[in-house]
Amino acid sequence: SESADVVFSVEGKTYSAHKTLLFIKCKKLFEFAKGYDGKTPIPIDSVKADTFKAILDYIYTVNSPMLNTKDEAIELLVAADRFECISLKLYAESVIVQKFLVPENAAELMVLADSHSCALLKEATIHMFITNTSTVKQSDGWSQVRESSRLLEELLNSITQDQDDSSGNVEIDNMDAV
């Protein structure tokens, strides 16, 4: 922290960092720090202190944080997306798919995936819808999916799409992300 050249303030806690590392690993935080005068901490709103610390820990160590709950994973994904920490966002997305995606929350996570450009999560939620349609449609998040004609069209296309073109070759546009 003696050589740090920027300080952030989150929920009353301060976190020191180095602009060079932020430039390499977290573009948006670097943008916040670019004009930093070195005196007053830069306030960061709309993120919990623990989540911000997890982002900085990842930037400095590349150790993936333990995500024990779906809410922790979502919070980290949203914050990593906001601060353009792409590799951490992808990690959080993969944890959500592997550990927390179930038919009862697939609709909710589909909306999240759509709003944060999470291709892996979106594809996994669509597959969950195809294999567990009635459970997904009975979940609390389904009303949000119903409000999006674009998401409904994607679901319809995923159910009805024919992956072979007339020559029998698989179309690249229809290939899975996983």
Side-chain angles (χ1 to χ4, degrees), residues 36-57:
Y36 179 67
D37 65 6
K39 297 176 185 171
T40 309
I42 300 168
I44 301 293
D45 299 321
S46 304
V47 66
K48 292 181 181 175
D50 291 342
T51 302
F52 191 79
K53 183 179 182 322
I55 290 172
L56 287 181
D57 288 346

Side-chain angles (χ1 to χ4, degrees), residues 26 28-29 31 35 48-49 74 76 98 104 137 139 151 156 158 166 169 172 177:
C26 201
K28 191 60 76 173
L29 283 179
E31 291 298 321
K48 292 181 181 175
I74 289 172
L76 185 65
Q98 291 173 0
E104 292 77 14
K137 287 177 72 175
S139 69
L151 278 178
L156 182 61
S158 70
S166 59
N169 296 322
I172 292 175

Side-chain angles (χ1 to χ4, degrees), residues 154-175:
E154 284 184 54
L155 288 173
L156 182 61
N157 287 340
S158 70
I159 292 170
T160 61
Q161 80 183 6
D162 179 13
Q163 292 204 355
D164 290 337
D165 65 15
S166 59
S167 67
N169 296 322
V170 175
E171 293 181 40
I172 292 175
D173 291 341
N174 294 332
M175 294 178 70

